[in-house]
């Protein structure tokens, strides 16, 4: 319901290659770390967004989306569902073209607001799974 193949394919192939990954830290045991690596392998620039603002996978981190001094195309969200709506609103304010809520991150109201603002959005999916699935 919140992720049709056409939208997924568009975000992965045509929306742009700069992905802000909210919740990405240098903790190798977290899902965001591995997914960010896969995104890089598929040609995406991964920008870590985390309060610690650590450099991850060779990319400087930022404490918030608003701190990133260049445009981002996609905001990939690895935070709890109760915080995800605020991140989606920040993505809209930052001028992102799409928002991607990871597996288990669900906020139907944020989905509606983000789509209403004109952004593509996927919810409760993982790009590391979708990239090979869609070929």
């Amino acid at each position: 319901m919140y992720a049709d193949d056409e939208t997924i394919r568009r975000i992965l192939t045509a929306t742009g290659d700069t992905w802000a990954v909210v919740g990405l830290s240098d903790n190798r045991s977290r899902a965001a770390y591995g997914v960010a690596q896969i995104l890089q392998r598929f040609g995406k620039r991964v920008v870590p967004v985390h309060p610690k603002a650590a450099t991850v996978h060779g990319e400087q981190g930022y404490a918030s989306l608003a701190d990133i001094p260049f445009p981002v195309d996609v905001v990939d969200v690895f935070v709890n569902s109760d915080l995800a709506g605020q991140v989606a609103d920040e993505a809209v304010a930052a001028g992102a073209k799409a928002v991607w809520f990871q597996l288990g991150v669900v906020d139907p109201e944020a989905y509606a607001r983000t789509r209403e603002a004109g952004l593509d959005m996927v919810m409760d999916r993982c790009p590391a799974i979708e990239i090979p699935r869609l070929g």
Side-chain angles (χ1 to χ4, degrees):
M1 175 176 178
Y2 296 109
D4 62 272
D5 284 351
E6 181 182 326
T7 302
I8 291 169
R9 185 174 281 110
R10 185 171 48 249
I11 292 172
L12 291 173
T13 63
T15 298
D17 291 332
T18 303
W19 285 52
V21 181
V22 178
L24 175 58
S25 71
D26 57 1
N27 183 343
R28 294 172 182 260
S29 68
R30 303 293 302 212
Y33 190 89
V35 171
Q37 262 183 326
I38 291 167
L39 287 169
Q40 281 186 323
R41 270 192 297 230
F42 282 92
K44 307 301 181 191
R45 178 182 184 191
V46 172
V47 181
V49 179
H50 191 278
K52 293 181 182 175
T55 296
V56 184
H57 301 308
E59 288 284 347
Q60 177 182 335
Y62 297 89
S64 71
L65 288 173
D67 292 335
I68 301 173
F70 48 83
V72 297
D73 301 307
V74 181
V75 176
D76 190 3
V77 182
F78 278 93
V79 299
N80 293 330
S81 295
D82 59 338
L83 302 174
Q86 178 181 338
V87 175
D89 295 341
E90 291 169 8
V92 171
K97 299 173 189 167
V99 175
W100 190 300
F101 280 10
Q102 282 292 326
L103 288 173
V105 180
V106 177
D107 182 335
E109 291 83 16
Y111 180 89
R113 285 194 312 273
T114 303
R115 295 291 297 132
E116 217 170 86
L119 280 68
D120 276 334
M121 184 162 179
V122 170
M123 188 163 64
D124 196 24
R125 295 287 182 99
C126 179
I129 295 168
E130 300 301 327
I131 290 170
R133 184 181 73 79
L134 295 175

